[in-house]
Amino acid sequence: MNQAQLWLTIGAINGGVTVALGAFGAHGLKNRVPPELLANWLTATNYLGLHALVILICGLVLLQLPAARLVNAAGWAFLLGSVLFSGSLYVMTLTSIRQLGMITPIGGVALIIGWMLLALGVWRSAAALNGGI
């Protein structure tokens, strides 16, 4: 499996997981957890869904620019960030262990790094194709 296929597959799986977890939060947790924890679940689901899409974008970019190593690195940063950010919020919602909130910002930083890597990777690869860098 090449990198483009990897990110397209992971992005699609994350999209399906997003729908399942969103439905579980809306229907299975609605009357079982306090509203502030349910809000955490919604935030986690929103971020997971958004980053499922950007992981798909990484795969699409890599179909066109297979040598874009920074785009591949962005995919890894998005995956790690999604697991840490959304995962910590999901577990915190289900367990009420507030200390897990310390992991959430680490995931957020990984997501920010992913966006920067994606921007730089696309810019560099496109410039190289056009005779730039």
Side-chain angles (χ1 to χ4, degrees), residues 58-105:
C58 288
L60 293 173
V61 169
L62 286 166
L63 283 175
Q64 299 300 312
L65 304 167
R69 293 181 318 188
L70 291 176
V71 174
N72 186 54
W76 287 110
F78 289 132
L79 181 59
L80 176 66
S82 294
V83 168
L84 293 176
F85 184 88
S86 294
S88 65
L89 291 175
Y90 288 135
V91 174
M92 193 167 54
T93 300
L94 295 173
T95 65
S96 298
I97 300 172
R98 302 274 182 189
Q99 294 85 348
L100 290 171
M102 294 184 296
I103 296 170
T104 310

Side-chain angles (χ1 to χ4, degrees), residues 33-56:
V33 299
E36 65 274 6
L37 290 178
L38 198 54
N40 286 344
W41 191 275
L42 177 61
T43 298
T45 303
N46 288 338
Y47 274 74
L48 184 62
L50 170 65
H51 291 91
L53 292 174
V54 79
I55 288 171
L56 285 169

